[in-house]
Amino acid sequence: MDDRQFRSAMGKFATGVTVITTEVEGEIHGMTANAFMSVSLDPKLVVISIGEKAKILNKIKESKIFTVNILAADQEELSMIFAGQLKEHKEVTFERLDGKPVLSGAVAQVACEVSAEHVEGDHTLFIGKVTDIHLEDAEPLVFYNGKYRSLVELKPVTI
């Protein structure tokens, strides 16, 4: 299989869209990512996967903190800003959660301290100990097959 085929296959998995942020010496850095998942309930742990060429990689290694901002359906532009897909400069306003930078309006903001790092292939996996969470009642932004999407409820489910 070639790289394009592998990338296409991975794109068939619908994901939420996140912006990972960190702060070093008062400067906030962020990047759009969909490589995020929960790991453990006790203790509360999540993992993010950051490519070796990403500028934010060394920033997280230095700061030992990060936040995961799960974007809302109306935050496609924020995703594009942090993915470097918009040419014009847009000012982004940050809030704080447990002293860490987060994006206002995100479906969920998850503040973390790095508890472990693992280099695998061309990525570093950061295990984050969750220190605080803030939730909003909004629909998430979804990414599938290289395009932004939104959720559509098929039928109500009773659990």
Side-chain angles (χ1 to χ4, degrees), residues 19 30-32 71 75-94 103 148:
V19 170
M31 127 180 184
T32 300
L71 298 186
Q75 293 182 308
E76 183 178 328
E77 184 178 59
L78 275 176
S79 172
M80 294 174 72
I81 289 169
F82 287 100
Q85 295 173 332
L86 290 184
K87 300 298 179 210
E88 70 221 51
H89 176 74
K90 295 268 189 170
E91 197 63 36
V92 176
T93 305
F94 294 92
L103 293 170
Y148 293 105

Side-chain angles (χ1 to χ4, degrees), residues 140-156:
L141 183 61
V142 177
F143 197 71
Y144 173 75
N145 210 26
K147 295 183 176 122
Y148 293 105
R149 311 285 178 126
S150 59
L151 290 180
V152 175
E153 187 174 342
L154 297 177
K155 67 178 189 173

Side-chain angles (χ1 to χ4, degrees), residues 9-78:
M10 296 303 102
K12 298 296 183 187
F13 183 65
T15 66
V17 180
T18 73
V19 170
I20 308 299
T21 59
T22 193
E23 186 171 22
V24 176
E25 297 177 5
E27 192 173 335
I28 299 171
H29 306 271
M31 127 180 184
T32 300
N34 62 357
F36 157 73
M37 68 177 200
S38 65
V39 173
S40 170
L41 189 57
D42 185 20
K44 291 169 183 57
L45 301 172
V46 298
V47 66
I48 58 172
S49 179
I50 307 293
E52 64 186 14
K53 294 178 182 169
K55 294 175 188 169
I56 201 170
L57 178 64
N58 287 326
K59 306 294 185 193
I60 295 174
K61 287 183 178 203
E62 184 178 341
S63 70
K64 300 291 187 207
I65 60 133
F66 63 89
T67 63
V68 179
N69 300 273
I70 301 173
L71 298 186
D74 64 355
Q75 293 182 308
E76 183 178 328
E77 184 178 59
L78 275 176

